[in-house]
Amino acid sequence: MPETDERDPILFTPLQLRDVTLPNRIAMSPMCQYSSDDGFATDWHLAHVGARAVGGAGLVIMEASAVSAAGRITAHDLGIWKDEHVEGLARVAAFARAQGAVPGIQLAHAGRKASTARPWEGGGPIAVDAPGGWPVVGPSPLAFDEGAQVPHELTVDEIADVVANFAAAAVRAERAGFDVVELHAAHGYLLHEFLSPLANQRADGYGGDFEGRARLTLECIAAVREVWPAGKPLLLRVSATDWVEGGWDVDDTVRLAGLAQAAGVDLVDCSSGGASPLQQITVGPGYQAPFAAAVRAAGVPSGAVGLITEPEQAEALLDEGACDL
């Protein structure tokens, strides 16, 4: 008889993050549904998140939820900027927990990529004075792409308001019953815009060198960690590279990951791209897993995403130590 591996698959082993135990290493990444009215969760969100919880994912993370109305990608984004949003979110979190999954939510601000149409409506930018449009903001007055709005450059006082909005959203997430919060610092949205020299050309303390560009993200982490329960994990989603020469890169990500961990982040969720339409992405099975591996090699727990489609593929990544989730 040939020898067999009696070891249980790592994919189906628990992962402890602070006082929260994920039943397995499979997580549902946040996926925008663009199906809200005034930011409210609906039956659609219950069905979308609930189906993945029923399917056995250990962690289900609700989509990018705007910490302010101006921080939505589209006028139909999910929101967590007012107390009235809590009830609908709580219904989804409670259902996911009842199916054995750990419920999480991603807190986000779209920055200069706000005020756009839904993907099935063309996905393009919407002017300030057009239906479904509003003024966008960013670190610098640099439009994301041709035809997009030139963002208002946030003042230092306005940046403080952004930090306060993230913290207030975390308080609402706790009230709604979520056990995990993830800060969205990827895909060209506001926190990523401050990180990337492609979008941030400020000359004050929130721009310039690495420390200046990382300042807003670290301030948001600190503010959220202060109000988020000590026993509950905080995740950070990053774009590990802009895929553009002169942009944010993997070395920057590893450096940020260490600082984020020191500030209270428990796992870095490694995606990529989104800061520039000039990006040149090399896509293939598991193409972003090396970013998670680089973060984990630096001593920071990581999550891998991106064309991981087979259980054997996921198990191999976990077995070789490329990621934790």
Side-chain angles (χ1 to χ4, degrees):
M1 296 281 296
E3 292 187 5
T4 58
D5 185 0
E6 298 296 332
R7 175 180 61 78
D8 290 335
I10 303 172
L11 191 62
F12 301 119
T13 60
L15 177 64
Q16 188 76 26
L17 295 173
R18 297 195 182 231
D19 296 341
V20 174
T21 302
L22 308 186
N24 56 55
R25 307 300 182 96
I26 303 167
M28 181 192 86
S29 289
M31 292 179 275
C32 289
Q33 299 299 295
Y34 308 112
S35 299
S36 293
D37 181 14
D38 193 29
F40 285 92
T42 67
D43 286 350
W44 176 268
H45 300 92
L46 180 67
H48 170 68
V49 174
R52 276 73 187 177
V54 170
L59 170 64
V60 290
I61 306 179
M62 285 196 77
E63 66 199 81
S65 302
V67 301
S68 67
R72 294 173 293 173
I73 305 166
T74 78
H76 304 279
D77 284 23
L78 192 64
I80 193 168
W81 71 81
K82 57 184 176 181
D83 293 343
E84 290 80 4
H85 289 144
V86 170
E87 183 178 359
L89 294 170
R91 179 171 171 243
V92 179
F95 184 83
R97 181 179 290 104
Q99 313 315 310
V102 172
I105 189 167
Q106 186 184 65
L107 309 181
H109 191 300
R112 67 178 185 172
K113 294 177 77 173
S115 188
T116 65
R118 291 186 286 192
W120 57 87
E121 295 168 342
I126 298 177
V128 174
D129 55 355
W134 61 89
V136 304
V137 300
S140 301
L142 301 170
F144 171 70
D145 199 2
E146 185 176 350
Q149 288 188 44
V150 175
H152 161 70
E153 181 177 302
L154 288 167
T155 67
V156 171
D157 287 344
E158 290 167 340
I159 290 171
D161 290 339
V162 168
V163 175
N165 287 340
F166 271 94
V171 171
R172 295 186 188 101
E174 162 64 9
R175 287 173 47 203
F178 291 100
D179 290 328
V180 173
V181 151
E182 178 174 89
L183 300 188
H184 198 354
H187 303 162
Y189 299 123
L190 187 65
L191 298 188
H192 182 196
E193 290 165 19
F194 271 83
L195 292 170
S196 174
L198 302 179
N200 185 348
Q201 296 184 4
R202 299 176 71 98
D204 64 3
Y206 288 94
D209 59 11
F210 172 91
E211 287 79 6
R213 288 182 283 109
R215 181 177 172 184
L216 175 57
T217 296
L218 294 172
E219 286 184 353
C220 287
I221 292 168
V224 168
R225 189 74 267 179
E226 185 174 351
V227 299
W228 186 238
K232 291 189 175 184
L234 173 61
L235 277 53
L236 180 69
R237 177 162 253 204
V238 298
S239 280
T241 176
D242 286 338
W243 299 100
V244 177
E245 186 175 353
W248 184 262
D249 61 23
V250 179
D251 290 340
D252 292 327
T253 294
V254 170
R255 187 176 176 187
L256 176 67
L259 295 171
Q261 183 183 52
V265 164
D266 300 288
L267 182 142
V268 176
D269 176 8
C270 298
S271 187
S272 69
S276 170
L278 302 178
Q279 63 188 18
Q280 297 291 321
I281 303 179
T282 303
V283 176
Y287 71 105
Q288 295 177 136
F291 307 143
V295 166
R296 194 170 190 269
V300 181
S302 70
V305 303
L307 294 184
I308 301 168
T309 57
E310 302 295 334
E312 295 83 2
Q313 178 192 14
E315 179 68 13
L317 291 171
L318 291 163
D319 187 53
E320 69 192 31
C323 60
D324 299 275
L325 186 66

